Amino acid sequence: MLQRTKPLSVLLTLIAVLFSPNLFASAGESMDLTSHGIGYAAILFFGIAYCLVMLEDVIHLRKSKPVLVAAGLIWAMIGFYYTQHGMNHDAEAAFRHNLLEYAELFFFLLVAMTYINAMEERQLFDSLRAWMVNKGFTLRLIFWLTGILAFFISPIADNLTTALLMCAIVMKVGGTNHKFIAIACINIVVAANAGGAFSPFGDITTLMVWQKGMVEFSTFFHLFVPSAVNYLVPAVIMSFFISKEVAAGDDEVVHMKRGAKRIVALFLMTISCAVLGHSFLGMPPVLGMMTGLGLLQFFAFFLRKTQKSYYESAVHNASDRVEHERLRDLGDGAPFDIFNKVAKAEWDTLLFFYGVVLCVGGLGFIGYLGMISEAMYTNWDATYANITVGVLSAIVDNIPVMFAVLSMQPDMSLGQWLLVTLTAGVGGSMLSIGSAAGVALMGQARGIYTFGAHIKWAPVIALGYAASIVTHLWINASFF
């Protein structure tokens, strides 16, 4: 018994000493914990968690798990220290502040994901894919079409969904032409990330900047030309390595299910509600998004109630036997269920986002973000600091990087906030692991689109990154 309890006693003693309020701080000092054992432990926990996140594809551990645990440990240590000093309400208020920031983004993203899943279930994206595959386009034209569509769809849908849709097209068209698939996937990743950079809805980082009030909705579109340059420079160079052979189709026909186009219209209406409510009523964008979710629920109710009568009538009026069978199968299928679409949201991503926001918020409350802000935005020129943010986002996920910058709130001009929005959005394209789109496509085109295949084109992508920054500094000079 003594042999079993002695190590535990030693461990508890070490923990008590390490987190002792008086170990590194004496009475009267500020609550800066950057030189305290709690601060060092928080950095260690976050570092371990993020290493596990980056190894997700190797160890097959979902990325939300380690950051959720790290967030709990960091705030538990903060709570312990502040309770010892009789300031537990300060720690509680800081935690609630970070939780509120996450809650607004959570519900916003949940609604957006629900709409995207609804469109997918109504076979909107499958219909687009089948149309492109069977048009008899050349491989080079497919390369350009998938890139351009990724660039223009990602500002409305999220860049991850857009990239997966376009990758499905090139996989179908490319067949055994692995060289085409690899280059086309790189093009899609760059295009999706670039397209998401000039819209508040295109990426989580742009959404964070908009909801924080750093950049107005309409001002984001001043990044359109720099984002286009970021995509076009590498795309033009890579296109010369794509052959002009005609792609083989498979004659697959996919029909959109009933209500698909109306769901698109509702999604656009929901976005309008979020934008107008924020611009004219001063309300958080999440209010408009949740209102739009209510509209989608009403439409789902309408589809369920009218499914039987609609398809009975359609089957009766079918022009041929094939159409008759198709409509009967659709009518016999499960009715549209809105909560099924909610359940299929990217919950791992949403929970990962919670962990990141709380971890970074905790590190900021300890004092580390103030130190980084001082080092980057006081000792460096803001332009160089924001360019560095983009490079970091190619190595570390851009969500914690951008949240850290927003938490620091450095005193910058509007032009600099636009610059960091651009660099954080497109910087991840330089490595395949630098964005959610790249990681997802490595899984979808496993063994074809790889880290090695992407890094071969990294100099070309970096050229586009540099060109987009120069373009922004030139055409948006009035914002600096």
Side-chain angles (χ1 to χ4, degrees), residues 353-370:
F353 194 32
Y354 165 87
V356 165
V357 168
L358 270 296
C359 281
V360 176
L363 294 175
F365 190 61
I366 287 171
Y368 285 114
L369 296 187

Side-chain angles (χ1 to χ4, degrees), residues 396-416:
V396 182
D397 191 277
N398 59 1
I399 294 173
V401 173
M402 178 55 82
F403 186 74
V405 174
L406 291 171
S407 299
M408 297 174 201
Q409 288 196 7
D411 184 16
M412 299 193 297
S413 64
L414 178 57
Q416 292 292 352

Side-chain angles (χ1 to χ4, degrees), residues 113-307:
M113 289 177 177
T114 301
Y115 265 102
I116 296 301
N117 288 335
M119 293 178 206
E120 189 174 7
E121 189 273 339
R122 295 285 96 179
Q123 300 184 166
L124 177 72
F125 300 133
D126 288 338
S127 177
L128 174 62
R129 175 184 54 79
W131 176 81
M132 289 188 65
V133 168
N134 293 311
K135 273 297 182 179
F137 296 139
T138 64
L139 292 182
R140 185 173 291 183
L141 185 55
I142 290 287
F143 171 87
W144 278 109
L145 283 175
T146 52
I148 291 171
L149 284 172
F151 183 81
F152 284 104
I153 293 176
S154 59
I156 303 172
D158 66 285
N159 51 11
L160 175 60
T161 301
T162 304
L164 289 172
L165 167 64
M166 296 301 135
C167 182
I169 294 171
V170 300
M171 291 281 288
K172 196 87 170 179
V173 171
T176 58
N177 191 337
H178 291 181
K179 178 184 176 183
F180 165 74
I181 294 174
I183 298 178
C185 284
I186 296 168
N187 182 54
I188 289 167
V189 170
V190 175
N193 289 336
F198 69 87
S199 165
F201 303 95
D203 191 76
I204 294 177
T205 56
T206 56
L207 176 61
M208 291 161 64
V209 173
W210 180 44
Q211 292 218 123
K212 194 76 171 179
M214 298 302 180
V215 179
E216 293 297 323
F217 182 85
S218 59
T219 310
F220 277 95
F221 297 102
H222 289 279
L223 291 176
F224 174 80
V225 175
S227 297
V229 169
N230 179 269
Y231 160 60
L232 289 172
V233 169
V236 169
I237 296 172
M238 289 189 292
S239 68
F240 290 111
F241 295 84
I242 302 293
S243 70
K244 295 183 180 179
E245 65 179 277
V246 176
D250 57 5
D251 298 322
E252 180 186 11
V253 178
V254 178
H255 296 278
M256 289 186 291
K257 293 183 180 179
R258 176 179 174 234
K261 294 179 181 178
R262 281 174 283 182
I263 289 175
V264 174
L266 281 174
F267 185 46
L268 295 176
M269 186 185 301
T270 298
I271 292 174
S272 299
C273 288
V275 174
L276 295 175
H278 184 63
S279 301
F280 296 104
L281 303 178
M283 301 301 291
V286 67
L287 175 65
M289 294 299 288
M290 292 302 290
T291 304
L293 180 62
L295 295 175
L296 182 60
Q297 287 181 307
F298 270 110
F299 185 63
F301 176 78
F302 168 77
L303 289 178
R304 287 199 308 274
K305 287 297 183 181
T306 59
Q307 175 167 302

Side-chain angles (χ1 to χ4, degrees), residues 96-112:
R96 290 184 183 277
H97 172 75
N98 283 278
L99 185 63
L100 178 61
E101 287 195 8
Y102 167 73
E104 289 186 11
L105 290 165
F106 168 82
F107 285 111
F108 191 106
L109 291 170
L110 182 64
V111 175

